[in-house]
């Protein structure tokens, strides 16, 4: 045991010396490992970031909320067929609200892009969301200031609005938005509330921070004709266990409203977050596989390069190997010496790759809030070590089984 | 009891489709604390025999017993241990590690013997002092003269206190005065009770030994005691 430790220590020192003696060569041969480790670290970092913001976004959509819509989010149906479906109208929404028994809340939403102004501050292409007071119950909004518009204001289509956090920040840099009057494409609306920051979500327009909410009647009256755009009905189930039941009931109600006969296809869709999750997992899965392929390939190329340089190293040091064997070095001593050397080269490469990944992820951080995961340090070390052992095995074995007399004769 | 016992040993190299019989049929016994010189013309098989005795090489035919153990039945690992612990080999061409200093070269066998840091350094330093190179321990081989390199090689062979010292033309590359110093060293090693076997081309070097074996064409030509052996003119002190 003791002997083994000293042999290993000696092997380590020899390896260190060999690496130092060939600095440039070492750095050059590690390129594949550098790229491999950098890409694996970057990828896991990026995916973690995307995951985080997706998770945030999806939870803001709610696992217990159904979206009854003309459109289907992830559809196998041809687009032109869906296009021919009738728009969901306000009259249908009202009928639906009366018939729906299982749901906890039902809120229609309709959007429009408008410019919002307060004095000299103005924001273009703001996602205007027309809805009713019940909308608040389908969402878990918290407020920075004020409140959501109430039943009376929404039924009466009063000129009131609720600002998303970023919109309020943009229009009122000094705060105190509640009670002020903003101009939305020329019309005056009184601000009754400002949402607290809801967190970012990669699909920009889904982000409530960038929205303005107002009574749905105002949207019809001033911004879009109800025939042009279909309403989305958001239906909240009392709990996640009830989602399936509520979905079934909603489909039944809507078929009844539309007078669809048995055997006729639905001319509407009930969407839910789950579909989004599946779709997301698929997409990320593809990215992940592509990433692993790139990583695997560059590691493989890197390993071959290092294997090559190790063969050269063994040939260059044949005489040295002969001397060591003549003096009493065992096979395993020589074997470990060369495997250690290639592992060390790979570790250096892995270290450089990791540094590059950290620097790059700082760059990525500007678009995607994320940070390098600590466990990826371990991953980087393990990957470099494995590659090193893999690359060093054959050359080291060749060195270990050299015949001492032959090796000593080598010039 | 003899320490080395070889019977009807042959070593055949094949180069292309041609066979070279480096050793044909050699039998030889060497006892503990003998001082043997091996002589013979170039290409007669001296180095081949030395490599065999030093457990660096294995015979094609025949039997080799080292301290009563059959060498041909030993594993690679066991051979490495014997080379490390029992044999001190001094090569014709020194065979020092070019990138390591004298001290580290001498330390090397101790590393493979598993001897720890402080003791290892001490023993290596002492071995260097014994061969008169105490002040050269941090010189690399290319910063030493030929005679000094040979002495580093001898220190390396001595440092594990092996039972046998094998030296293949230890004075071949040296002038006669330096050669004389080296021979004084071997004499001292022998006096201390070790077995010394050396190969040489030179008759006057061979006369330092107590027994001389002459080889020709892979066969032993003669094997006799030396009556009036030369004693070294210089004196060295080993401890
Ligand atoms: N690896 C080898 N392959 C083929 N032939 C070899 C090999 N090693 C030695 N020989 C041959 O074996 C014979 C003996 O070689 P050896 O080195 O033992 O001679 P030597 O007596 O030591 O000579 P010198 O005094 O010149 O050192 C030579 O003819 C040589 O050509
Ligand atoms: Mg020779």
């Amino acid at each position: 045991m003791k002997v083994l430790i000293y042999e290993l220590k000696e092997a380590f020192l020899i390896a260190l010396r060999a690496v130092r003696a060939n600095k440039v060569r070492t750095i050059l041969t590690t390129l594949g490992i550098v790229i491999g480790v950098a890409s694996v670290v970057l990828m896991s970092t990026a995916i973690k970031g995307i995951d985080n913001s997706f998770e945030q976004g999806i939870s803001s959509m709610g696992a217990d909320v159904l979206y009854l819509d003309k459109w289907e989010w992830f559809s196998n149906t041809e687009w032109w067929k869906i296009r021919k479906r009738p728009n969901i109208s306000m009259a249908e929404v009202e009928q639906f609200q009366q018939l729906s028994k299982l749901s906890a809340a039902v809120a229609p939403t309709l959007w429009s892009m408008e410019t919002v102004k307060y004095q000299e501050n103005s924001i273009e292409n703001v996602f205007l969301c027309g809805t009713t007071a019940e909308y608040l119950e389908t969402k878990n909004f918290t407020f920075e200031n004020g409140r959501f518009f109430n039943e009376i204001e929404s039924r009466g289509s009063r000129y009131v609005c609720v600002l998303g956090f970023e919109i309020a920040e943009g229009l009122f840099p000094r705060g105190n938005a509640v009670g002020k009057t903003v101009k939305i494409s020329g019309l005056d609306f009184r601000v009754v509330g400002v949402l607290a920051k809801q967190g970012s979500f990669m699909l920009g327009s889904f982000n409530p921070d960038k929205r303005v909410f107002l009574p749905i009647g105002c949207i019809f009256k001033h911004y879009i004709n109800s025939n042009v755009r279909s309403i989305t009905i958001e239906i909240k189930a009392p709990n996640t266990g009830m989602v399936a039941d509520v979905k079934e009931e909603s489909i039944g109600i809507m078929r009844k409203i539309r007078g669809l006969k048995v055997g006729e296809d639905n001319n509407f869709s009930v969407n839910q977050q789950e579909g989004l999750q599946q779709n997301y997992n698929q997409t990320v899965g593809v990215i992940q596989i592509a990433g692993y392929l790139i990583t695997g390939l560059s590691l493989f190329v890197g390993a071959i390069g290092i294997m090559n340089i190790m063969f050269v190293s063994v040939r260059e040091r044949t005489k040295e190997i002969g001397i060591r064997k003549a003096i009493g070095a065992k096979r395993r001593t020589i074997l470990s010496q060369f495997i250690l050397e290639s592992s060390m080269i790979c570790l250096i490469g892995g270290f450089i790759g990791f540094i590059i990944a950290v620097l790059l992820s700082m760059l990525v951080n500007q678009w995607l809030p994320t940070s390098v995961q600590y466990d990826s340090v371990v991953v980087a070390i393990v990957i470099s070590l494995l590659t090193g052992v893999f690359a060093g095995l054959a050359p080291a074995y060749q060195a270990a089984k050299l015949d001492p007399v032959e090796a000593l004769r080598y010039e | 009891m003899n320490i080395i016992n070889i019977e009807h040993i042959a070593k055949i190299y094949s180069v292309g489709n041609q066979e070279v019989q480096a050793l044909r049929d050699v039998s030889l016994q060497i006892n503990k604390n003998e001082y043997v010189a091996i002589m013979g013309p170039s290409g007669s098989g001296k180095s081949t025999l030395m490599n065999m005795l030093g457990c660096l090489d294995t015979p094609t035919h025949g039997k080799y017993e080292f301290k009563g153990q059959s060498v041909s039945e030993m594993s690679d690992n066991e051979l490495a241990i014997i080379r490390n612990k029992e044999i001190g080999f001094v090569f014709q061409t020194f065979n020092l590690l070019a990138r390591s200093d004298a001290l580290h070269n001498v330390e090397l066998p101790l590393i493979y013997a598993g001897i720890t840091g402080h003791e290892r350094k001490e023993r290596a330093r002492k071995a260097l002092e014994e061969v008169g190179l105490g002040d050269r321990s941090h010189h690399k081989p290319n910063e030493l003269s030929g005679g000094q390199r040979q002495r580093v090689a001898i220190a390396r062979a001595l440092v594990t206190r092996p039972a046998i010292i094998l030296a293949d033309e230890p004075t071949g590359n040296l002038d006669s005065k330096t050669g004389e110093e080296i021979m004084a060293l071997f004499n001292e090693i022998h006096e201390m009770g070790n077995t010394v076997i050396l190969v040489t081309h030179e008759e006057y070097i061979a006369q330092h030994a107590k027994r001389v074996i002459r080889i020709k064409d892979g066969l032993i030509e003669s094997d006799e005691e030396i009556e009036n052996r030369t004693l070294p003119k210089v004196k060295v002190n080993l401890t």
Side-chain angles (χ1 to χ4, degrees):
Chain A
M1 190 60 210
K2 210 175 78 182
V3 177
L4 203 67
I5 288 171
Y6 279 96
E7 274 177 10
L8 271 179
K9 192 180 151 207
E10 171 71 7
F12 180 79
L13 290 176
I14 296 166
L16 200 68
R17 198 155 21 182
V19 168
R20 261 208 308 235
N22 300 303
K23 280 188 210 85
V24 177
R25 191 167 88 180
T26 306
I27 300 287
L28 286 180
T29 46
T30 57
L31 210 63
I33 310 296
V34 170
I35 296 172
V37 168
S39 65
V40 76
V41 171
L42 259 186
M43 194 183 62
S44 67
T45 306
I47 286 181
K48 188 77 194 166
I50 296 172
D51 266 347
N52 281 347
S53 51
F54 182 81
E55 214 98 299
Q56 269 177 19
I58 206 147
S59 67
S60 82
M61 291 175 72
D64 51 359
V65 178
L66 297 167
Y67 294 79
L68 201 159
D69 206 337
K70 173 182 176 180
W71 308 100
E72 195 164 335
W73 287 354
F74 307 106
S75 132
N76 307 317
T77 325
E78 285 87 351
W79 182 75
W80 55 268
K81 265 190 194 164
I82 293 184
R83 210 179 118 94
K84 277 198 280 184
R85 289 172 171 182
N87 285 342
I88 296 173
S89 68
M90 205 54 205
E92 285 173 328
V93 173
E94 271 153 24
Q95 271 177 286
F96 187 93
Q97 271 170 325
Q98 274 164 12
L99 293 172
S100 179
K101 297 281 178 292
L102 297 177
S103 62
V106 174
T109 58
L110 186 65
W111 59 270
S112 177
M113 291 287 197
E114 305 296 337
T115 303
V116 185
K117 256 191 197 164
Y118 177 72
Q119 291 172 352
E120 67 275 16
N121 296 330
S122 132
I123 304 174
E124 282 173 24
N125 295 325
V126 175
F127 202 94
L128 219 56
C129 180
T131 185
T132 61
E134 229 172 293
Y135 185 70
L136 188 58
E137 288 165 47
T138 71
K139 292 281 179 273
N140 306 316
F141 284 158
T142 47
F143 287 83
E144 180 81 10
N145 269 313
R147 56 174 176 87
F148 208 71
F149 46 84
N150 60 32
E151 183 86 27
I152 299 163
E153 286 163 334
S154 96
R155 283 197 179 283
S157 299
R158 302 278 169 80
Y159 293 86
V160 289
C161 67
V162 173
L163 305 182
F165 185 80
E166 282 179 33
I167 301 292
E169 226 177 19
L171 295 179
F172 301 92
R174 266 176 270 128
N176 293 327
V178 175
K180 304 274 163 48
T181 302
V182 295
K183 271 200 183 333
I184 301 178
S185 295
L187 290 169
D188 284 344
F189 282 83
R190 188 165 53 87
V191 179
V192 295
V194 173
L195 295 182
K197 199 168 173 59
Q198 306 292 311
S200 66
F201 179 42
M202 52 171 185
L203 307 174
S205 59
F206 272 94
N207 187 352
D209 291 345
K210 293 186 173 145
R211 287 182 167 190
V212 169
F213 301 88
L214 41 98
I216 193 164
C218 300
I219 297 252
F220 286 134
K221 221 189 292 178
H222 301 291
Y223 302 109
I224 29 172
N225 188 318
S226 63
N227 299 328
V228 174
R229 199 167 287 159
S230 177
I231 296 171
T232 300
I233 308 177
E234 296 193 14
I235 308 153
K236 187 183 165 78
N239 54 57
T240 42
M242 296 274 294
V243 172
D245 294 337
V246 173
K247 185 173 181 175
E248 202 169 316
E249 189 206 45
S250 302
I251 292 172
I253 294 170
M254 202 59 194
R255 287 184 68 91
K256 199 168 151 196
I257 294 172
R258 293 238 160 132
L260 297 179
K261 297 192 187 71
V262 182
E264 244 179 309
D265 283 343
N266 291 344
N267 54 5
F268 56 89
S269 297
V270 178
N271 300 307
Q272 67 192 100
Q273 178 211 45
E274 201 175 276
L276 201 60
Q277 183 84 55
Q278 268 170 16
N279 202 273
Y280 170 81
N281 288 346
Q282 264 170 23
T283 315
V284 169
V286 170
I287 297 174
Q288 223 156 4
I289 288 170
Y292 285 134
L293 273 177
I294 295 170
T295 307
L297 208 68
S298 54
L299 284 176
F300 184 73
V301 171
I304 297 294
I306 284 169
M307 197 182 287
N308 195 32
I309 218 71
M310 289 308 293
F311 273 123
V312 172
S313 183
V314 168
R315 201 162 53 233
E316 278 177 355
R317 306 218 304 259
T318 301
K319 181 114 186 178
E320 178 196 319
I321 295 164
I323 294 172
R324 290 179 186 278
K325 290 198 96 171
I327 276 168
K330 300 183 184 100
R331 276 188 181 198
R332 62 152 199 258
T333 320
I334 305 290
L335 195 76
S336 57
Q337 174 187 330
F338 282 92
I339 288 181
L340 257 167
E341 186 175 325
S342 73
S343 309
M344 208 180 287
I345 293 176
C346 284
L347 267 183
I348 292 171
F351 180 74
I352 298 175
F354 189 77
I355 298 292
I356 291 178
V358 169
L359 293 180
L360 282 180
S361 76
M362 282 175 179
L363 218 71
V364 171
N365 214 4
Q366 298 184 325
W367 300 283
L368 197 65
T370 176
S371 61
V372 172
Q373 303 296 300
Y374 282 105
D375 49 7
S376 65
V377 179
V378 179
V379 171
I381 291 175
V382 169
I383 283 180
S384 331
L385 276 181
L386 283 181
T387 315
V389 171
F390 169 75
L393 219 51
Y397 182 71
Q398 195 191 48
K401 73 175 199 329
L402 275 178
D403 179 64
V405 180
E406 297 280 312
L408 281 174
R409 210 185 286 274
Y410 187 90
E411 289 304 331
Chain B
M1 194 198 124
N2 54 46
I3 201 165
I4 282 172
N5 178 29
I6 59 180
E7 285 171 25
H8 307 294
I9 260 188
K11 181 74 188 183
I12 301 166
Y13 292 108
S14 30
V15 181
N17 49 11
Q18 198 192 342
E19 283 198 341
V20 181
Q21 294 217 324
L23 292 176
R24 285 165 200 274
D25 181 10
V26 174
S27 296
L28 181 65
Q29 280 77 39
I30 293 172
N31 293 322
K32 197 168 169 358
N33 199 20
E34 272 203 86
Y35 190 174
V36 185
I38 298 175
M39 291 198 73
S42 186
S44 55
K46 303 181 298 289
S47 293
T48 309
L49 180 60
M50 286 297 260
N51 288 342
M52 215 79 77
L53 296 180
C55 296
L56 278 171
D57 212 349
T58 44
T60 318
H61 304 293
K63 195 169 88 178
Y64 176 17
E65 282 177 356
F66 183 89
K67 283 189 169 174
Q69 278 177 291
S70 172
V71 171
S72 51
E73 281 161 28
M74 286 184 199
S75 70
D76 235 56
N77 230 353
E78 288 169 316
L79 288 176
I81 292 171
I82 289 207
R83 287 199 292 265
N84 183 240
K85 299 237 159 78
E86 311 273 7
I87 295 166
F89 213 117
V90 181
F91 299 92
Q92 190 170 356
T93 51
F94 318 134
N95 284 339
L96 299 173
L97 293 183
R99 284 188 289 191
S100 304
D101 63 17
L103 187 66
H104 188 256
N105 265 293
V106 177
E107 268 185 279
L108 211 57
L110 298 177
I111 290 167
Y112 294 131
I115 287 160
T116 64
H118 184 68
E119 188 194 345
R120 188 169 81 205
K121 279 248 149 34
E122 267 323 295
R123 281 174 65 172
R125 198 164 291 144
K126 214 178 98 206
L128 273 176
E129 273 161 20
E130 283 170 357
V131 298
L133 283 179
D135 54 344
R136 292 288 191 275
S137 52
H138 293 298
H139 288 230
K140 301 250 170 78
N142 63 358
E143 297 159 351
L144 294 168
S145 75
Q148 289 170 329
R149 283 182 223 181
Q150 191 65 290
R151 280 188 277 171
V152 173
I154 292 170
R156 182 179 66 186
L158 286 177
V159 76
T160 52
R161 294 284 175 239
I164 306 182
I165 299 282
L166 298 171
D168 193 352
E169 302 199 34
T171 59
N173 292 314
L174 308 176
D175 63 77
S176 59
K177 184 179 165 290
T178 330
E180 194 62 44
E181 282 169 21
I182 299 289
M183 289 318 290
L185 213 49
F186 281 114
N187 191 62
E188 187 63 27
I189 293 165
H190 168 246
E191 299 275 282
M192 284 167 66
N194 296 304
T195 312
V196 176
I197 305 171
L198 57 85
V199 166
T200 179
H201 271 123
E202 263 129 344
E203 195 59 51
Y204 83 93
I205 294 287
Q207 291 304 314
H208 287 76
K210 287 184 170 171
R211 174 182 169 190
V212 66
I213 297 171
R214 289 170 209 277
I215 299 186
K216 201 179 170 188
D217 292 334
L219 286 168
I220 293 184
E221 210 180 31
S222 68
D223 182 349
E224 54 208 13
E225 302 287 311
I226 294 174
E227 306 286 303
N228 286 314
R229 65 185 280 253
T230 319
L231 288 172
K233 296 173 201 71
V234 278
K235 190 90 190 98
V236 284
N237 274 317
L238 291 181
T239 42

